[in-house]
Structure formats: structure tokens, C-alpha cells
Amino acid sequence: MSRERLAGLLRAAFAAALAADLLALLAGSATGHLFAKPLLMPLLAAYAAVRGAPRLLLAALAFGWGGDVFLLVDAEWAFLAGMGSFAAGHVCYLLLFGRARTSPLLGACYAAVLVAAVALLWPSLPADLRVPVAGYSLLLTATAYRASGLGPVAATGGALFLLSDTLIATGVADWPQPPVPDFWIMLTYGAAQYLLVTGVLRPSSAARPHPTGPVAAPSPPGRPRS
């Protein structure tokens, strides 16, 4: 089987797993969600690996998988562990995006969104989660901003990641939620990770960063929430 054929099959499998997870959430099936969610990032990572993804991208997806699994457990320690795993994934993304050019104006807009979100959420968050959530929000916003340097596809992925995790944070803060909030969280998260992967792998992206050292070497073939 050619690499192109295998990559296409893995991408279709990721899309099918995401669709199954979204349908399970709409149907209120905890079992379906428990089965489908952990499949997402491994399938996406396998697709990326077949496409010759840099190791930092695969590491970001692996940390995303860890966050996905931890957040399946309804406990504060699991929430903190999941947030920590996602934070490590954002560090990987930031290292990967490091040399891409970005707009200072967009950076100022993201900074304003970060300050406003933390200020509004702070009083409603449990006291022991305020500092961790604020620190994670900084990494998340930085990822969304730096992703814009790879072009509109990755920029959209970064913005959707920010939206997905903001929905989680508002739920933790007991703010009013849309109907079936986990559906919207997973929809935006799955799309975010796929678009970030696509933005990194697009060979035609003029803004694609040119990593050096260990990031440049392709990995051999072979990450939401709620």
C-alpha cells in the first residue's frame, strides 16, 4: 500500500472516530464517548507520521491524547493532570511554531482576549484552580497566536483550540452553557487539532516554519475532552 493511500485511510479513520464521538455525545451515550474519544489523537498522529510529520508535532498530539484520557475521569486531580498534559502539548506547538512570522496587531488582540477571559472567569473558578487555569490560558493563547504564522489553516486551528478550551473553562466556572456543551467542545477540539496538523504539513504554505535539529527529521510511521 502506498503512503498516500495509507495516509488517506488514516485520515478517514480519524474523521469516522470524531463523527462517532460527536454522535455518541448527541445521543447521551457515555460508553460511546468513552470508546471513541481515546481513538482520535492516535489516529491523527498516525496520519501525521505517515505524512512525515516532525517529532514535535507527534509529541504535541501524544500529549493531547494524554489530556483526552485524563479528562474522561470526573475528578479534580484528573482535570489538573489533563490540563498539564495539554500544556505540555502547547509547549511542543510553540517550539514548532517558533520561527514563523506573526502579526503584532493580532498578538495584541489575543492578549486582550486573554486578559479579559482570565479576569471574567477568575471570581467563578474554584480557588485552587485559578492559578493553573490562568497559566494554561497563557500557553493556549500563545499557541493560537503563533499558529497564525503558518497561514490561515493553522490560524483557524489555533483559534478553535482556544474556543474549545474556553468552553471547558466556562463550564468549570459554572457559567451558562449551550445545549450539549460536550458536543461543541469536541467538535471544535477535533477540528482544531486536525487543522493544526494540516497547517504544519502543508508543503505549499509559504509561512511554514523551517525547524532545525531534531525537529527537522521525520518520524517513522506509526489527541477532547469532557
Side-chain angles (χ1 to χ4, degrees):
M1 181 184 297
S2 68
R3 291 174 68 90
E4 292 78 10
R5 172 76 172 167
L6 179 57
L9 289 175
L10 287 168
R11 180 170 57 184
F14 167 75
L18 180 58
D21 190 41
L22 296 175
L23 288 172
L25 290 170
L26 288 175
S29 173
T31 301
H33 178 56
L34 187 65
F35 174 77
K37 181 182 178 183
L39 296 176
L40 297 175
M41 291 305 104
L43 288 170
L44 187 57
Y47 162 74
V50 170
R51 291 281 311 277
R55 287 196 291 268
L56 278 175
L57 178 58
L58 300 181
L61 296 173
F63 282 121
W65 176 80
D68 289 346
V69 173
F70 278 122
L71 291 185
L72 286 170
V73 181
D74 187 16
E76 185 172 307
W77 70 264
F79 178 81
L80 288 170
M83 188 164 55
S85 190
F86 279 116
H90 289 305
V91 171
C92 293
Y93 274 129
L94 288 171
L95 291 172
L96 185 60
F97 301 159
R99 295 176 60 183
R101 293 184 178 181
T102 50
S103 163
L105 178 59
L106 181 62
C109 292
Y110 269 124
V113 169
L114 171 64
V115 171
V118 171
L120 290 171
L121 286 167
W122 188 273
S124 303
L125 290 170
D128 55 342
L129 291 181
R130 289 171 179 169
V131 173
V133 168
Y136 176 77
S137 298
L138 177 59
L139 281 173
L140 171 64
T141 307
T143 296
Y145 169 52
R146 297 302 301 172
S148 65
L150 276 70
V153 173
T156 303
L160 286 175
F161 213 139
L162 179 61
L163 175 58
S164 179
D165 279 359
T166 299
L167 288 172
I168 295 177
T170 58
V172 172
D174 287 327
W175 283 21
Q177 298 291 293
V180 197
D182 288 344
F183 170 86
W184 300 106
I185 290 169
M186 287 306 302
L187 176 62
T188 50
Y189 170 70
Q193 291 281 37
Y194 175 76
L195 291 173
L196 285 172
V197 168
T198 302
V200 171
L201 297 179
R202 280 170 68 109
S204 61
S205 176
R208 184 178 179 180
H210 301 284
T212 58
V215 181
S219 298
R223 187 166 115 79
R225 319 175 94 62
S226 72

